[in-house]
Amino acid sequence: PYFIDLDQNLYLQACLHSSDPNLKVFVDTCVASPDPRDFNTLAYDIVRNGCPRDSSYATFHSPSSHFARFKFNAFEFISRHPSVYLKCELMVCRLGDYSSRCYRGCTGRSKRDTSS
């Protein structure tokens, strides 16, 4: 466990362990939950489909494309849940492939026609 005070910034880094220098890491989705086995019932989206859902979320430049660095503000669900667990999904893409998911960034849902 990692202990942090409420409203304190939590800094995270994800690292791709690969000898291929032509890969890039991108944080696609990061969800918090008080239950490490259930990230659906009582969950909070920090990032979803590359789109920040929490106003305190920010990414940081990294000297290597093998690292994804980001932060958000620590919070609690309800006082009866003493711990918060994170589950993050990362994308790995080819460096320089600007049509890839890593370079497109936030992909919001497209609107659908409501007519019959």
Side-chain angles (χ1 to χ4, degrees), residues 3 8-9 17 20 31 37 39 43 61 65 67 69 92 103 107:
F3 297 97
Q8 185 178 351
N9 283 331
H17 296 280
D20 186 343
V31 180
R37 296 167 305 283
F39 284 86
H61 174 74
S65 62
F67 292 92
R69 294 176 173 173
V92 178
Y103 287 94
T107 58

Side-chain angles (χ1 to χ4, degrees), residues 9 11 19 21 23-24 30 33 36-37 45 48 53-54 56 62 64-65 75-76 80 85 94 103 105-106 113-115:
N9 283 331
Y11 296 88
S19 60
L23 297 177
K24 176 178 177 62
C30 208
S33 170
R37 296 167 305 283
D45 286 349
R48 175 70 65 181
R53 297 292 175 96
D54 184 284
S56 69
S62 173
S64 168
S65 62
F75 62 93
E76 68 178 347
R80 61 190 168 124
Y85 298 88
R94 283 267 160 219
Y103 287 94
C106 176
D113 187 5
T114 58
S115 64

